[in-house]
Amino acid sequence: MSFIKEIQRRRTFGIISHPDAGKTTLTEKLLLFGGAIQEAGAVKSNKIKKGATSDFMEIERQRGISVATSVLAFEYDGVKINILDTPGHKDFAEDTFRTLTAVDSVIVVIDVAKGVEEQTEKLVEVCRMRNIPMIVFINKMDREGKDAFDLLDEIEQKLGLTVVPLSFPIGMGYDFKGIYNIWEKNINLFSGDSRKNIEETIEISDLESPELNKLVGDKAAKTLRDEIELVEGIYPEFDKQTYLDGHLQPVFFGSALNNFGVRELLDCFIEIAPKPRPKQSEERLVKPDEDKFTGFVFKIHANMDPNHRDRLAFIKIVSGTFERNKPYLHVRHGKKLKFSSPNAFFAEKKEIVDISYPGDIVGLHDTGNFKIGDTLTEGENINYKGIPSFSPEHFRYINNADPLKSKQLFKGIDQLMDEGVAQLFTLELNGRKVIGTVGALQYEVIQYRLEHEYGAKCTYENLNVYKACWVDPKNSKSDEYKEFIRVKQRYLAKDKQNQLVFLADSAFSLQMTQQTYPSIKFHFTSEFD
């Protein structure tokens, strides 16, 4: 198959939502259609029979939530689909933001009972800023929830989207009869039997036909006719180009747990979703069909396999082909690296691939060469814009609880920080280590992983910090800068890249410091020009 054909048959997308709307369950069902797994395990904490395939960290299984983005791939109808399942929990938002740099389109999952939740709003905002095409999937239709029209209004108002329903529910919850597929003009009846893998669909080209009454009963049939008439009256017609530009969002209804409405979503997705797109680098726009390889690291994951200490750097291929054992230039280090076992993914199962194409995600074994945002090329100096570190919200001292294991502890902290789980600051005054995170749940994850993956125990101590500000080193020769360093010594720390950081203990003290030393610039993110 030619290089261009390979690019055109790839679709890479992320699934985003508020915790518990059903992202991981939807991911599993999509894989089921791709024939990639035989039986899907929903992530409900009380009745795990199999444990969802995309949640493979121990802590995810215990709590029934996803805490790390996982990469899964499958083939469906000759199309190669790469899914990035992201954590919905707000404490892991940074991981999700990074993942959004690596996808070409997004599926937003919304719980029919809860409607639009805050985490969804934040993530959709990021997608809108980048004009990423989105498809909305309204999940859990087999439970009682909000009226379909109210929900569509809510999505338009809260998320600022322009929606067009491509399928519509017949009843809901207890009365849920099925789904009318506007996109393909057919009806899918809901049997409530999740053992049946895939329900049969019944072609109905004309809603007026008496056949409809036979299938769902007179009352439901009348309601459906009225509602579809309303849908055609209110909502714009679906236009593929407007969707690809990020200005129109198709909506599907279904129940992922019962594997219902998922196939409609998938069939429409492979028809309309964008192929791998060009990406803007600092130097120029890079197109997927260029012959020279370029790609960037959007995530680093330590210890995918608990039996081996390994780190995997996830690389999104932007252009050209990535081949095994071929030397590529690591732009930041300016040195060539060769990879003998690049991995393609299926959650816990990884396989070595010889050649990968734009849109694919490859995992490279890493001994500490990579940082998030690094670029690999065939020799050209290109830098893809990374995602900066934001100032953390929570700060704690980390202490070693087992003096014999200090080496393991430092190695563990070092590797987890490279993964981008949290940020490490070292105080200038006494060299104590401070960990800053976006959410408090992070500390548990770090403590848990240090103990289980590195055999090191740690304790935390609270530290009162309002914000971490990166200090601009431009005027470091001036007297004012030296004075600032001398006076504020107790509040200064270095981050992992050795940049100077000022840990302000309150909004007031930050304001005072800015007034006292006007020539010094403070930044709230780690990347500044």
Side-chain angles (χ1 to χ4, degrees), residues 390-432:
F390 303 95
S391 167
E393 306 281 317
H394 303 257
F395 296 84
R396 293 184 193 174
Y397 286 120
I398 181 164
N399 302 322
N400 186 1
D402 180 351
L404 297 172
K405 292 278 174 77
S406 61
K407 194 170 145 221
Q408 283 89 327
L409 181 74
F410 290 124
K411 181 180 171 196
I413 292 177
D414 201 52
Q415 294 204 349
L416 291 178
M417 297 304 135
D418 277 354
E419 224 184 274
V421 176
Q423 296 174 59
L424 181 69
F425 303 104
T426 310
L427 292 185
E428 292 280 79
L429 194 62
N430 51 15
R432 281 191 76 178

Side-chain angles (χ1 to χ4, degrees), residues 150-217:
D150 292 348
L151 205 52
L152 292 169
D153 283 350
E154 189 178 328
I155 295 171
E156 296 213 306
Q157 284 158 9
K158 284 199 182 165
L159 301 178
L161 303 180
T162 310
V163 298
V164 46
L166 291 187
S167 76
F168 210 81
I170 308 172
M172 101 161 40
Y174 185 66
D175 300 325
F176 185 51
K177 299 274 197 298
I179 282 174
Y180 175 66
N181 186 342
I182 302 173
W183 173 248
E184 291 172 359
K185 296 239 187 302
N186 59 31
I187 273 190
N188 198 341
L189 293 179
F190 179 65
S191 61
D193 178 8
S194 59
R195 287 192 301 275
K196 277 170 53 182
N197 275 349
I198 295 154
E199 264 84 11
E200 316 73 55
T201 52
I202 299 159
E203 291 287 330
I204 289 206
S205 45
D206 178 19
L207 276 180
E208 293 306 317
S209 78
E211 188 70 4
L212 181 66
N213 298 37
K214 273 189 216 149
L215 292 170
V216 296

Side-chain angles (χ1 to χ4, degrees), residues 72 157 163 288 292 337 356:
L72 309 146
Q157 284 158 9
V163 298
K292 293 265 190 286
L337 300 172
S356 303

Side-chain angles (χ1 to χ4, degrees), residues 56-92:
F56 50 77
M57 252 198 276
E58 197 52 43
I59 192 160
E60 301 184 306
R61 299 224 169 104
Q62 287 175 0
R63 296 199 154 201
I65 57 170
S66 308
V67 299
T69 302
S70 58
V71 181
L72 309 146
F74 66 97
E75 297 255 343
Y76 179 77
D77 251 8
V79 175
K80 169 136 195 280
I81 299 179
N82 298 309
I83 306 183
L84 297 158
D85 179 17
T86 63
H89 208 286
K90 69 169 181 296
D91 292 5
F92 306 99

Side-chain angles (χ1 to χ4, degrees), residues 137-156:
F137 182 70
I138 295 179
N139 193 13
K140 307 192 178 177
M141 288 308 297
D142 55 321
R143 302 189 187 174
E144 295 299 326
K146 302 187 177 182
D147 172 71
F149 287 108
D150 292 348
L151 205 52
L152 292 169
D153 283 350
E154 189 178 328
I155 295 171
E156 296 213 306

